[in-house]
Amino acid sequence: MNSVPEAEDRTGAGRREDGADGRDAGRARTVRLTVAQALVRFLAAQYTERDGRRHRLIAACWGIFGHGNVAGLGQALVESGQGEHAPLRYLQGRNEQAMVHAAVGYARQNNRLSAHAVTTSIGPGATNLVTGAALATINRLPVLLLPGDVFATRTADPVLQQLEVPSAGDVSVNDALRPVSRFFDRVHRPEALIPAALQAVRVLADPAETGAVTLALPQDVQAEAYDWPEEFFAERVWHVRRQAPEAAEVAAAATAVLAARRPLLIAGGGVHHSEAEDALRALADATGIPVASTQAGKGSLRFDHPCDVGAIGHTGTAVADELARTADLVIGVGTRYSDFTTASSTLFAGPDVRFVNLNVTPFDAHKMGALTLVADARAGLEALGGALSGHRVADAYEQEYARGKESWERAVDSAYAADDADARPTQSQLIGALDGVVGDDDVVVNAAGSLPGDLHKLWRARSPRQYHLEYGYSCMGYEIPGAIGVRLAAPDRTVWALVGDGTYLMLPGEIVTAVQEGVGINVVLVQNHGYASIGGLSEQTGAERFGTAYRYRASDGSYTGDPLPVDLAANAASLGMDVLRAETVGELRTALAEARASARPTCVYVETDTASSDPAPPGPAAWWDVPVAETSSRPAARKAREEYERHAAARRRHL
Ligand SMILES: Cc1ncc(C[n+]2csc(CCOP(=O)(O)OP(=O)(O)O)c2C)c(N)n1
Ligand SMILES: [Mg+2]
């Protein structure tokens, strides 16, 4: 270390220039630090507060070092100290995208009240962030990105890994992060860090604006010293407001509910972010309005609550989708109305259907031509509950959806049923086996493949945040690092990453991080030799499963040869995990229980039966728009196109 930290200064070294000799009376006290040291010290002093509880806004900093951050932020992190009371704990990752996924898992599990930062070198380290940033922003989850950037002085241009744009001297690869960031700034001079850092944390802590926030840090500036006003490092508490609804909007929403005969509430991710589950349950208990949920909102009500009708949309339950088709009022709470939720604009078919949208973000509240209720989900649900006091839906409506719910529960039972313990499990049976071992507080993490649809339909969510699906970006590879972030946020909860073989191959490296940090996640690795989900979609859309199986190339050039001799279980073991191989339903049950009992990162490897469709999850109750070739010489595409046009005719805009 090249400077000596002051005794009371745990967050960074510094020489204080406080004008103590009287010469500078009236001048702000300053601390001399590099830009990177100042940023570490600043971040360590930021807190959020909601409902009277305080949280560290940036609880840790992930990083992979290279030129661009090694001598800047890297030096600052070591200088600040990395012992038990480190002001900003450093976490070593293996891949920049995966570090963002871990940060996102952490933030989501913390209901966005605490987040992580991610620092990278310039060039490829920085552009590896783009996918993670898009994922964070689309899911409205906070993460602070700190990519290194090319020299502000330009004295060494072009530095290693620098993009040179002949027509624009101020563009670097980091500009690729702009459209996927809710706030972006490049700190060209030391003093510019002050407004940039303050804006960055403001956006991170704002429920309506949050997402990926990027501070691009030219590497020469990171190492430059500056005399910082001491008050820049003062503890700051960012109040995460629960925006109250306007009385007029509550009154209009309540009038619409009172007039509705078939209201349906859609719970989106905002219910969880706002910790509005109790308020939602109180409203459902009082009014009898059925509640369907999106991928992000599942678990808002327990699966066995009488008003919970399960998943909505393309991957929805028969009962929820039927209610959606016939609803005269849809009350969206904290939902973005993605195409999966709306069945690509075909689901809400009631002739006079109207929408009320409770959302903290006006952008989302205005979708579907809705009556807007711009507010925090909890505050809005409580206000609406008050305005609806004494109101209840008709008995006949309650009985109707209760019957639908009951028959859906039986459908789940049959999808889970596995009488032959010696048979290879289907994916539904795998979900059933996991259902059989988890406790109320276990967390199931997933993002892409055929699992999200099956889980959305079949999973019986028992507690808020048990069902952790990243389906805003549905990014293959989120699962393992995402689960690490969840477990860092909730060390007492058992965390399961459900991972397809294709997904595993995309981003398994963070297993090493789990092993290194002693983060005891469980990985359920589902082997079905390729992209089963896209294979099914390809078949349905006339593309004949092209390019979706992991097989040797056959003599006609297609990948229809033998399966590949790949051993992913051995791969997981080689990265340091304990691995349990299960070949039958019985072995799977035993392995899952063993993994749950183990504190070590453990992988349960299982090959699923894709040939048998019995038991299968019930098929889609609603459409998803994936355009099919309008002209083709191949019968499969021609047939698929006919089907496509039939469905597409039901599209409808809600204005
Ligand atoms: C990063 C990324 N690339 C591509 C896709 C498109 N995609 C969605 S699911 C899928 C296949 C997933 O395969 P696997 O993990 O084996 O799950 P399975 O479909 O077999 O259940 C692909 C390629 C995606 N969601 N994310
Ligand atoms: Mg697969």
Side-chain angles (χ1 to χ4, degrees):
M1 291 194 193
N2 51 16
S3 63
V4 183
E6 294 186 8
E8 79 279 18
D9 175 10
R10 294 212 321 255
T11 60
R15 176 164 58 83
R16 207 159 73 188
E17 311 226 329
D18 57 8
D21 60 3
R23 272 179 302 147
D24 295 322
R27 210 184 82 186
R29 283 149 54 121
T30 59
V31 189
R32 190 162 178 81
L33 298 170
T34 69
V35 167
Q37 291 161 357
L39 180 56
V40 167
R41 186 164 172 175
F42 169 83
L43 292 177
Q46 307 305 307
Y47 293 83
T48 59
E49 172 278 319
R50 186 167 72 183
D51 305 329
R53 284 196 303 279
R54 243 166 75 137
H55 311 263
R56 277 287 295 273
L57 174 54
I58 303 294
C61 180
W62 290 90
I64 294 176
F65 298 111
H67 91 103
N69 67 341
V70 62
L73 268 167
Q75 192 282 333
L77 284 164
V78 71
E79 179 143 349
S80 70
Q82 283 297 318
E84 200 187 334
H85 299 294
L88 192 60
R89 182 176 169 215
Y90 166 66
L91 294 164
Q92 186 182 60
R94 269 76 210 165
N95 171 290
E96 292 83 0
Q97 178 185 319
M99 294 195 292
V100 186
H101 293 340
V104 164
Y106 177 86
R108 182 166 178 186
Q109 199 65 25
N110 275 301
N111 298 324
R112 316 195 295 188
L113 296 169
S114 185
H116 282 163
V118 178
T119 170
T120 75
S121 58
I122 80 160
T127 48
N128 267 358
L129 293 174
V130 174
T131 298
L135 183 153
T137 292
I138 288 169
N139 285 285
R140 319 278 207 259
L141 291 165
V143 55
L144 176 61
L145 306 179
L146 304 171
D149 212 325
V150 298
F151 286 40
T153 57
R154 315 264 181 87
T155 48
D157 282 13
V159 300
L160 175 70
Q161 301 166 324
Q162 178 170 344
L163 174 74
E164 292 180 277
V165 180
S167 60
D170 62 346
V171 169
S172 83
V173 293
N174 285 349
D175 288 280
L177 285 158
R178 284 181 190 268
V180 288
S181 297
R182 295 306 306 262
F183 177 79
F184 179 100
D185 205 349
R186 183 176 278 122
V187 181
H188 285 292
R189 292 183 53 85
E191 57 269 47
L193 178 68
I194 296 174
L198 286 166
Q199 285 302 322
V201 292
R202 179 190 68 75
V203 172
L204 286 169
D206 187 316
E209 287 193 43
T210 199
V213 164
T214 301
L215 291 181
L217 302 168
Q219 61 170 314
D220 50 350
V221 177
Q222 281 184 49
E224 212 174 314
Y226 183 74
D227 295 316
W228 305 92
E230 208 170 49
E231 61 180 319
F232 180 49
F233 305 116
E235 224 170 76
R236 258 165 241 267
V237 181
W238 299 85
H239 173 61
V240 180
R241 72 184 69 84
R242 290 197 176 279
Q243 186 178 335
E246 278 191 6
E249 289 200 327
V250 175
T255 303
V257 177
L258 293 172
R261 286 172 303 102
R262 301 183 63 84
L264 172 67
L265 196 147
I266 301 176
V271 175
H272 292 310
H273 298 332
S274 151
E275 297 169 283
E277 296 90 353
D278 290 349
L280 175 67
R281 193 174 54 246
L283 184 82
D285 284 342
T287 62
I289 297 174
V291 176
S293 50
T294 68
Q295 287 277 15
K298 195 172 159 92
S300 296
L301 283 184
R302 253 187 82 101
F303 77 97
D304 52 4
H305 187 283
C307 292
D308 185 70
V309 291
I312 190 163
H314 176 61
T315 51
T317 66
V319 52
D321 282 356
E322 188 51 29
L323 290 172
R325 276 195 191 91
T326 55
D328 56 1
L329 183 74
V330 177
I331 308 157
V333 182
T335 176
R336 302 163 50 231
Y337 287 101
S338 83
D339 61 348
F340 264 69
T341 300
T342 67
S344 302
S345 308
T346 61
L347 189 58
F348 305 109
D352 300 313
V353 61
R354 294 175 70 197
F355 296 80
V356 166
N357 286 346
L358 166 54
N359 207 297
V360 75
T361 307
F363 178 79
D364 291 315
H366 279 276
K367 290 175 178 172
M368 315 296 279
L371 283 172
T372 56
L373 187 51
V374 177
D376 165 73
R378 184 199 282 182
L381 284 167
E382 285 171 354
L384 195 56
L388 292 173
S389 177
H391 173 70
R392 196 163 179 91
V393 299
D395 285 352
Y397 186 50
E398 277 189 71
Q399 285 154 14
E400 176 193 327
Y401 72 72
R403 279 193 302 274
K405 179 176 169 61
E406 176 57 25
S407 88
W408 183 260
E409 286 307 319
R410 299 293 73 81
V412 176
D413 286 341
S414 18
Y416 282 4
D419 300 334
D420 181 1
D422 295 329
R424 181 177 281 186
T426 63
Q427 189 158 283
S428 303
Q429 289 171 331
L430 182 154
I431 295 170
L434 188 59
D435 174 86
V437 302
V438 296
D440 278 10
D441 288 331
D442 288 23
V443 183
V444 174
V445 181
N446 183 243
S450 55
L451 277 160
D454 290 354
L455 287 165
H456 196 207
K457 277 187 203 149
L458 301 178
W459 187 259
R460 291 173 159 159
R462 298 145 161 89
S463 65
R465 293 289 183 221
Q466 167 167 87
Y467 184 82
H468 185 120
L469 253 283
E470 185 287 290
Y471 214 63
Y473 210 39
S474 185
C475 183
M476 291 168 75
Y478 173 80
E479 292 84 348
I480 294 172
I484 292 173
V486 170
R487 176 85 176 186
L488 287 172
D492 299 331
R493 298 180 78 159
T494 301
V495 181
W496 303 88
L498 269 56
V499 185
D501 55 322
T503 293
Y504 178 87
L505 282 169
M506 229 179 241
L507 212 53
E510 248 43 51
I511 286 175
V512 178
T513 305
V515 171
Q516 178 179 37
E517 299 285 347
V519 177
I521 57 165
N522 296 322
V523 171
V524 180
L525 174 40
V526 185
Q527 173 63 274
N528 58 18
H529 303 285
Y531 304 154
S533 53
I534 306 300
L537 181 62
S538 172
E539 189 167 318
Q540 224 176 59
T541 54
E544 304 173 49
R545 293 194 170 256
F546 179 73
T548 58
Y550 287 169
R551 288 174 175 274
Y552 280 112
R553 205 182 267 285
S555 53
D556 65 354
S558 66
Y559 297 114
T560 51
D562 289 338
L564 305 177
V566 174
D567 188 345
L568 298 183
N571 183 276
S574 78
L575 298 178
M577 282 202 127
D578 291 347
V579 176
L580 305 165
R581 290 175 190 258
E583 291 190 2
T584 64
V585 170
E587 288 173 11
L588 176 62
R589 290 185 186 130
T590 310
L592 292 171
E594 206 176 306
R596 191 164 190 279
S598 165
R600 290 223 347 116
T602 304
C603 172
V604 174
Y605 174 87
V606 60
E607 186 151 342
T608 50
D609 183 352
T610 48
S612 152
S613 56
D614 186 27
W623 190 53
W624 183 40
D625 188 346
V626 177
V628 172
E630 202 170 353
T631 177
S632 169
S633 59
R634 299 179 74 91
R638 287 209 299 271
K639 183 163 170 297
R641 180 72 196 188
E642 275 171 31
E643 185 79 345
Y644 176 78
E645 285 175 10
R646 196 171 58 74
H647 284 293
R651 278 201 218 104
R652 172 172 169 197
R653 281 188 195 280
H654 299 280
L655 302 173

